[in-house]
Amino acid sequence: MFPTHRPRRLRTSPQLRRMVRETVVTTHDLIYPLFAVPGSGVANEVKSMPGVYQLSVDKIVEEAKEVYDLGIPSIILFGIPDTKDEEATGAWHDCGIVQKAATAVKEAVPDLVVVADTCLCEYTSHGHCGYLEVGDLTGRVLNDPTLELLKKTAISQAQAGADIIAPSGMMDGFVQAIREALDEAGFQDTPIMSYAAKYASAYYGPFRDAADSTPQFGDRRTYQMDPGNSREALKEIELDIAEGADMLMVKPALAYMDIIWQVKQASNLPVAAYNVSGEYSMVKAAALNGWIDEERVVMETLTSFKRAGADLILTYHAKDAARWLKA
């Protein structure tokens, strides 16, 4: 009872506040997304994501060195190929853009952890995450044939040097299929970071500009989760754990912190939160208009992800956050 109890006593100075802080974000929590494109000397800014670029492999290597020097331990690679087809050839070909980028980064910065996004939407002519029925304009992906493409993609990414395989297509059984394929190919020690609870979200818009992956027709609601569901997320993570996932991801993060919390409570695996493109772009737009303090908003948001239970945060703010943390 007041006046015996005065919680403000522990808030009287910055030093004391830091001493009793319960949740702390560090650079070690961060994973920085990068978009690889063919060519040389290419750095195309994504108009809907200020400060984010599509980069050729040589520029990816430069960025990887900067990321590592900032103390960020990991990047995740997405690819935009020269050509697209129904077989998603660019996803699994040995000379695919992600494969080239992964090899180049591991040669230049061997201690940087390279995560490969293992999906097909950037590589298919229709923009969906797998095989479609001939003539189907609804976007209903054929699950089991798509698993075969994902297996080929995961193996080629591991062979190229990727340290972690991150399947994101939300196909039923994709973790088991990829785990078996990696093991048979001799990559038993390559972990899988599963996009275990990936929602059909409106927050992905700017990413589709960056990755050139907007579906040509239909949408992805037949395979990504309905935003109203939380019990389904727990079912998905239970299945992925049983199939051999090493880490679990919730995507998006900002509007799904309740899901991050539930996933953390329901499992003993590391949990990653993807601070997605729409979340990033909203903050950037407001900051560029002078409406918010960008640093404080970003750090408060990242802290909230950790407080909700995230062990790792994939974020386009990673480089800025690392600089602010150092300062």
Side-chain angles (χ1 to χ4, degrees), residues 193-206:
M193 176 192 287
S194 172
Y195 287 63
K198 181 178 179 180
Y199 285 84
S201 173
Y203 284 96
Y204 300 150

Side-chain angles (χ1 to χ4, degrees), residues 65-276:
K65 290 177 180 177
E66 181 182 358
V67 166
Y68 185 74
D69 289 342
L70 284 168
I72 299 167
S74 180
I75 60 172
I76 182 168
L77 291 173
F78 299 90
I80 302 96
D82 262 332
T83 59
K84 305 186 180 196
D85 55 43
E86 293 184 2
E87 296 286 327
T89 305
W92 49 263
H93 196 280
D94 290 345
C95 294
I97 189 63
V98 163
Q99 286 79 355
K100 289 180 178 179
T103 299
V105 169
K106 291 305 293 184
E107 289 176 353
V109 197
D111 291 334
L112 186 68
V113 176
V114 173
V115 183
D117 179 76
T118 307
C119 195
L120 307 174
C121 60
E122 299 105 306
Y123 308 94
T124 54
S125 51
H126 44 68
H128 283 285
C129 298
Y131 277 118
L132 302 183
E133 288 273 16
V134 176
D136 182 6
L137 298 180
T138 67
R140 186 176 180 84
V141 172
L142 299 177
N143 193 92
D144 295 6
T146 297
L147 296 182
E148 298 304 312
L149 291 181
L150 291 174
K151 289 159 66 173
K152 292 166 64 175
T153 302
I155 291 171
S156 70
Q157 290 172 339
Q159 289 172 335
D163 299 292
I164 297 173
I165 300 301
S168 60
M170 289 297 289
M171 295 296 111
D172 293 340
F174 69 164
V175 172
Q176 179 176 319
I178 289 172
R179 182 73 274 157
E180 291 175 353
L182 289 172
D183 290 354
E184 290 172 6
F187 294 102
Q188 296 91 341
D189 294 331
T190 300
I192 295 174
M193 176 192 287
S194 172
Y195 287 63
K198 181 178 179 180
Y199 285 84
S201 173
Y203 284 96
Y204 300 150
F207 174 90
R208 291 173 181 168
D209 292 338
D212 188 25
S213 62
T214 303
Q216 298 300 303
F217 48 81
D219 57 43
R220 296 179 178 147
R221 297 181 191 181
T222 64
Y223 43 103
Q224 294 177 359
M225 289 174 51
D226 189 295
N229 294 356
S230 59
R231 292 193 302 270
E232 185 183 7
L234 300 183
K235 178 180 180 179
E236 289 281 4
I237 69 123
E238 289 171 2
L239 291 170
D240 285 2
I241 292 170
E243 291 174 16
D246 300 283
M247 292 175 271
L248 305 167
M249 189 192 299
V250 176
K251 181 182 181 181
L254 190 61
Y256 296 86
M257 283 193 278
D258 60 320
I259 306 300
I260 296 170
W261 171 258
Q262 290 180 65
V263 170
K264 186 63 175 178
Q265 297 304 304
S267 78
N268 57 8
L269 296 182
V271 176
Y274 201 136
N275 181 205
V276 299

